[in-house]
Amino acid sequence: VYFLSDYGTADEFVGIVHAVLHGLAPTVAVIDLSHQVPAFDVAAGAAMLVRSGPFLGAGVVLAVVDPGVGTDRAAVALEVPAGGPRWLVGPDNGLLMPLAASLGGVRAAVALDPVHPLGEPAGGRPGRTFDGRDVFAPAAAHLAEGGHAEGLGRPIDVATLQPAPAGAPTGGPGSAPDADGSAIRASVTWIDRFGNVQLAAVPADLSAIGLVPGGTARVTVLPGPGGGGGPGRVVTGRRVRAFGHLAPGEFGLLEDANGQVSLVLDRGSAARSLEIAGRGDGVRIEAEAAGGSTPVGGTGA
Amino acid sequence: VYFLSDYGTADEFVGIVHAVLHGLAPTVAVIDLSHQVPAFDVAAGAAMLVRSGPFLGAGVVLAVVDPGVGTDRAAVALEVPAGGPRWLVGPDNGLLMPLAASLGGVRAAVALDPVHPLGEPAGGRPGRTFDGRDVFAPAAAHLAEGGHAEGLGRPIDVATLQPAPAGAPTGGPGSAPDADGSAIRASVTWIDRFGNVQLAAVPADLSAIGLVPGGTARVTVLPGPGGGGGPGRVVTGRRVRAFGHLAPGEFGLLEDANGQVSLVLDRGSAARSLEIAGRGDGVRIEAEAAGGSTPVGGTGA
Amino acid sequence: VYFLSDYGTADEFVGIVHAVLHGLAPTVAVIDLSHQVPAFDVAAGAAMLVRSGPFLGAGVVLAVVDPGVGTDRAAVALEVPAGGPRWLVGPDNGLLMPLAASLGGVRAAVALDPVHPLGEPAGGRPGRTFDGRDVFAPAAAHLAEGGHAEGLGRPIDVATLQPAPAGAPTGGPGSAPDADGSAIRASVTWIDRFGNVQLAAVPADLSAIGLVPGGTARVTVLPGPGGGGGPGRVVTGRRVRAFGHLAPGEFGLLEDANGQVSLVLDRGSAARSLEIAGRGDGVRIEAEAAGGSTPVGGTGA
């Protein structure tokens, strides 16, 4: 079971879900992807799942970012084609859809019964505010042990599933930036712990505007819903292959571990330095020098 | 082994305890409940254990919130009746007592020898500041593998154990709020990562003052030791069954996943919004409308 | 596999490395030491590894604090003598060297091929910014399953390995403080989650200046690269055996769980109270009272 949530680790939520999984499926390994999805941020959780997808093996993905817990939104288990995880379990709010798309699409869906058929947890079931414990974990444990989905609820039409939330990735690298004359405008898709700013652009997008490895670009921070104080800031960034090819204090544009372009700062936080606050903010990138003759570490597109 | 502590995760404390457990009992699963108990806060750790209790299976609870480490406070292993974990291991400072009470009471207690009989850790034992590593983990590993407690120390009289700390839960839902005319005054027992404010009250306490599902209440923040800036703040809260039944920006009172009443805000932090700082602060709740006719999702007491 | 990094837990980095390890070596236990090493702080990571070293069993240490990822710095697997872990896997930037020294020294070293021979991860390999996933984890999984190092890369001369970074521990307790007349000057080696300030000194260093258990010292905060606001602050600290032997608000000097001297405050943060900011700051300790007659809990050197 691969487990992702917005539960944080300050409380015992994650531990209790682990305890429930262990009680129902003691031999199943549980791998925590992250529990620090920003609270209620379904799109951020969806993006994290997509980035993780290629590295997940057989098993079940259990994902909970669920502002609608306790309402009549469905709890679902989605079956995807073989190759990686076979089942995705979580709320029907779009969280699972981008991952499902990246894994080949949803083949079947089951709406999980609010009271699962595997027996009540020892403590009974009080208020409906913790479906991770009461609904999703029991279903994930059942499926991880090879159980059939039929007993967990009723099949539902895949076409009725909630779509991916606004701002979530479409299911693979390649979301194109906007053309802007000889420049591109790309929105921010992720700011990681190091302050690297991932953009909705791939290396070929840089090449298309003449920004070759080793070349430099004029990078302008654009206003966006992230609300950072950075709009209007302009810096020069160099297209490089690795952080280590940057001089101290130099900004870089490189292909990151997900195949996307990231705006980075050597041993520093590009996001903090440029006051880029979050997903949905953006940058404009315009090549300003041919570069090519001394491609520092460059092997890009 | 179910493991809870106030060690945090910035240092290697938790990892070293895992390493010691793995070295002594390689086949035993270790489940982290949380390591973010506020430093030295025995009552908060005790409350977290009680909330987790119903979901723990057979095994050993290893809990360390231990401001008295290295003094002559005893290290103990407490035996509780069968059904969930059989042994609770930790400092004799009251931390384990509420959980023990909720599991049926302490049947036997052993004071762990400061130097455990299972052999010195490879690195020897320097200063007595890390009993989690040097005393509790070896004892928990021994008990988790089915070892007898006799070899770990000497039996002690259960009546000599330190009681639960002030502010800790009494061992189950049901701590009654104070009556206040037609209203109740309930203290805060927990503020979770989402800012939900759990109260020392159960749904029946709301019904008793005429606050039925769908009805609204006048909620007043009271001064308390938590020290928040909120006392005097008054808001209207509606009794609902789930977060999703609240309008944006609306406060709610619902039965949470522990069977307690929680004061919540849809997709927001009730605690931050009302400047409620922590455990021991309180609120006054007075029903102000009959409601009943349109119980929005209500199925409560 | 014992896993340490500066990845943090806000992103899915740690989870993906776990997923890769599990995919390649499903039966191997993975123990997280910590992932909260300050970003890019190789010396802090090295110190954490050394403190953990005595408690690690057989297996592989996987450690990633790697500001040079993607440059031509080597990725290495270091073989150390039997007794604890046999292989240390990580970047060749000095991170692993203090641990290796404490475990008996490096016996052999292999430079890991950038493209490991065990097969591409399912998602291919995009930018070279995540060697934990793409290079180190596959090598660690291979070695943890008892595989030979030969297939992972080419042997390299141990003498060519990068040395320990400035500020890292030398491999064991005993780094001597500077003599300063009848006092010592000791630098800060670690500030833990509780605000305890570990010093580059052992109990014998205190005894050497006449500070016996129960005695008090004049402790002066010195300027240092940590940049705290504390230099010039002077407090009285008592040499004790345990936190619990201090009066409320009293500073203490005690032997910590690593055998080093730590400057502590009972149930409080000595670091915050004295505005000591980090590693490299220092204190001057001068015995001011004989004490001896009432050694409170003292059993020290």
Side-chain angles (χ1 to χ4, degrees):
Chain A
V1 174
Y2 300 93
F3 180 21
L4 174 132
S5 76
D6 68 345
Y7 288 155
T9 54
D11 308 301
E12 70 279 9
F13 303 131
V14 170
I16 286 179
V17 170
H18 273 261
V20 170
L21 289 169
H22 181 72
L24 294 171
T27 63
V28 169
V30 181
I31 293 177
D32 296 297
L33 294 176
S34 174
H35 298 292
Q36 307 289 358
V37 175
F40 313 128
D41 191 338
V42 177
M48 207 174 274
L49 289 172
V50 168
R51 294 193 303 263
S52 303
F55 306 96
L56 307 182
V60 176
V61 171
L62 166 59
V64 190
V65 182
D66 191 15
V69 64
T71 64
D72 53 9
R73 71 98 187 85
V76 293
L78 309 183
E79 187 178 11
V80 293
R86 288 304 299 277
W87 288 97
L88 317 182
V89 173
D92 179 24
N93 61 8
L95 172 67
L96 304 170
M97 297 305 272
L99 174 62
S102 77
L103 295 175
V106 181
R107 291 171 63 148
V110 172
L112 303 171
D113 289 333
V115 177
H116 68 92
L118 307 173
E120 289 280 310
R125 177 171 302 119
R128 281 289 308 283
T129 64
F130 193 179
D131 276 2
R133 179 190 77 187
D134 299 333
V135 178
F136 301 130
H142 178 75
L143 294 168
E145 287 205 313
H148 292 288
E150 286 73 23
L152 296 172
R154 60 185 171 77
I156 57 173
D157 183 352
V158 170
T160 66
L161 294 168
Q162 294 298 311
T170 51
S175 37
D178 295 332
D180 176 21
S182 61
I184 54 172
R185 289 167 182 265
S187 59
V188 172
T189 53
W190 178 34
I191 295 176
D192 75 16
R193 115 101 152 179
F194 300 100
N196 301 313
V197 180
Q198 189 183 69
L199 302 174
V202 294
D205 296 318
L206 300 183
S207 298
I209 57 168
L211 180 58
V212 296
T216 57
R218 177 181 166 91
V219 178
T220 308
V221 181
L222 304 173
R233 296 280 300 274
V234 180
V235 294
T236 295
R238 191 152 55 101
R239 182 172 172 187
V240 294
R241 181 162 165 274
F243 299 99
H245 296 127
L246 295 169
E250 185 180 17
F251 288 92
L253 292 160
L254 52 69
E255 181 183 359
D256 69 18
N258 303 110
Q260 302 282 116
V261 173
S262 277
L263 173 61
V264 304
L265 181 62
D266 184 40
R267 303 185 198 206
S269 168
R272 192 160 48 232
S273 179
L274 295 174
E275 296 180 74
I276 297 174
R279 202 177 61 238
D281 286 341
V283 297
R284 183 176 185 277
I285 301 172
E286 179 171 20
E288 66 179 11
S293 62
T294 56
V296 181
T299 62
Chain B
V1 175
Y2 300 93
F3 180 22
L4 175 132
S5 76
D6 69 345
Y7 289 154
T9 53
D11 308 301
E12 70 278 9
F13 302 132
V14 171
I16 286 178
V17 170
H18 273 261
V20 170
L21 289 169
H22 181 72
L24 294 171
T27 63
V28 169
V30 182
I31 292 176
D32 296 296
L33 294 176
S34 174
H35 299 290
Q36 307 288 358
V37 176
F40 313 128
D41 191 338
V42 177
M48 208 175 273
L49 289 172
V50 168
R51 293 193 303 263
S52 303
F55 305 96
L56 307 182
V60 176
V61 171
L62 166 59
V64 191
V65 181
D66 191 13
V69 63
T71 64
D72 53 10
R73 71 97 187 85
V76 293
L78 309 182
E79 187 178 11
V80 293
R86 288 304 299 276
W87 288 97
L88 316 182
V89 173
D92 179 24
N93 61 9
L95 172 67
L96 304 170
M97 298 304 273
L99 175 61
S102 76
L103 295 174
V106 181
R107 292 171 63 148
V110 172
L112 304 172
D113 290 332
V115 177
H116 69 92
L118 306 174
E120 290 279 311
R125 178 172 301 119
R128 281 288 309 283
T129 64
F130 193 179
D131 277 3
R133 179 190 76 187
D134 298 334
V135 179
F136 300 131
H142 178 75
L143 294 167
E145 288 204 314
H148 292 287
E150 286 73 24
L152 295 172
R154 61 187 170 76
I156 57 173
D157 183 350
V158 169
T160 66
L161 294 169
Q162 295 297 312
T170 51
S175 35
D178 296 332
D180 176 21
S182 61
I184 54 173
R185 289 168 182 263
S187 60
V188 173
T189 54
W190 178 34
I191 296 176
D192 76 13
R193 114 99 150 179
F194 300 100
N196 301 313
V197 180
Q198 189 184 68
L199 302 173
V202 295
D205 297 318
L206 299 184
S207 298
I209 56 168
L211 179 58
V212 296
T216 57
R218 178 180 164 94
V219 179
T220 308
V221 181
L222 304 173
R233 296 280 300 273
V234 180
V235 295
T236 295
R238 191 150 56 100
R239 181 171 173 188
V240 294
R241 182 164 165 270
F243 299 100
H245 296 128
L246 295 169
E250 184 180 17
F251 289 92
L253 292 159
L254 52 69
E255 181 183 1
D256 69 18
N258 304 111
Q260 302 282 119
V261 173
S262 277
L263 173 61
V264 305
L265 182 61
D266 183 41
R267 306 187 194 203
S269 167
R272 190 160 49 231
S273 179
L274 294 174
E275 298 181 72
I276 297 173
R279 202 176 60 239
D281 286 342
V283 298
R284 181 176 186 278
I285 301 172
E286 179 172 18
E288 64 178 14
S293 61
T294 55
V296 180
T299 63
Chain C
V1 174
Y2 301 94
F3 179 22
L4 174 133
S5 77
D6 69 344
Y7 289 154
T9 53
D11 308 300
E12 70 279 9
F13 302 131
V14 170
I16 287 178
V17 170
H18 273 260
V20 170
L21 289 169
H22 181 72
L24 294 171
T27 64
V28 169
V30 181
I31 292 176
D32 296 296
L33 294 177
S34 174
H35 298 291
Q36 307 288 359
V37 176
F40 314 128
D41 191 338
V42 177
M48 207 175 273
L49 289 172
V50 168
R51 294 193 304 263
S52 304
F55 306 96
L56 307 182
V60 176
V61 172
L62 166 59
V64 190
V65 182
D66 191 14
V69 63
T71 65
D72 53 9
R73 73 97 186 85
V76 293
L78 309 183
E79 188 179 11
V80 294
R86 289 303 301 274
W87 288 97
L88 317 181
V89 173
D92 179 24
N93 61 8
L95 172 67
L96 304 170
M97 297 305 273
L99 174 61
S102 76
L103 295 175
V106 181
R107 292 171 63 149
V110 172
L112 303 171
D113 289 332
V115 178
H116 69 91
L118 306 174
E120 290 279 311
R125 178 171 299 118
R128 280 289 308 284
T129 64
F130 193 179
D131 276 3
R133 180 189 77 187
D134 298 334
V135 178
F136 300 131
H142 178 74
L143 294 168
E145 288 205 313
H148 293 287
E150 286 74 22
L152 296 172
R154 61 187 171 76
I156 57 173
D157 183 352
V158 169
T160 66
L161 294 168
Q162 295 298 311
T170 51
S175 36
D178 295 332
D180 175 21
S182 61
I184 54 172
R185 289 168 182 264
S187 59
V188 172
T189 54
W190 178 34
I191 296 175
D192 75 14
R193 115 99 152 179
F194 300 101
N196 301 314
V197 179
Q198 189 184 68
L199 302 173
V202 294
D205 296 318
L206 300 183
S207 299
I209 57 168
L211 179 58
V212 296
T216 57
R218 178 181 163 91
V219 179
T220 309
V221 182
L222 304 174
R233 296 281 300 274
V234 180
V235 295
T236 296
R238 191 151 56 100
R239 182 171 172 187
V240 294
R241 182 163 165 274
F243 299 100
H245 296 128
L246 295 170
E250 184 180 16
F251 288 92
L253 292 159
L254 52 70
E255 180 183 1
D256 68 19
N258 304 111
Q260 302 281 119
V261 173
S262 278
L263 173 62
V264 305
L265 181 61
D266 184 40
R267 304 186 196 203
S269 167
R272 191 160 47 229
S273 180
L274 295 174
E275 297 181 72
I276 297 174
R279 203 176 61 239
D281 286 341
V283 298
R284 181 177 185 277
I285 302 171
E286 180 172 19
E288 66 176 14
S293 60
T294 56
V296 180
T299 61

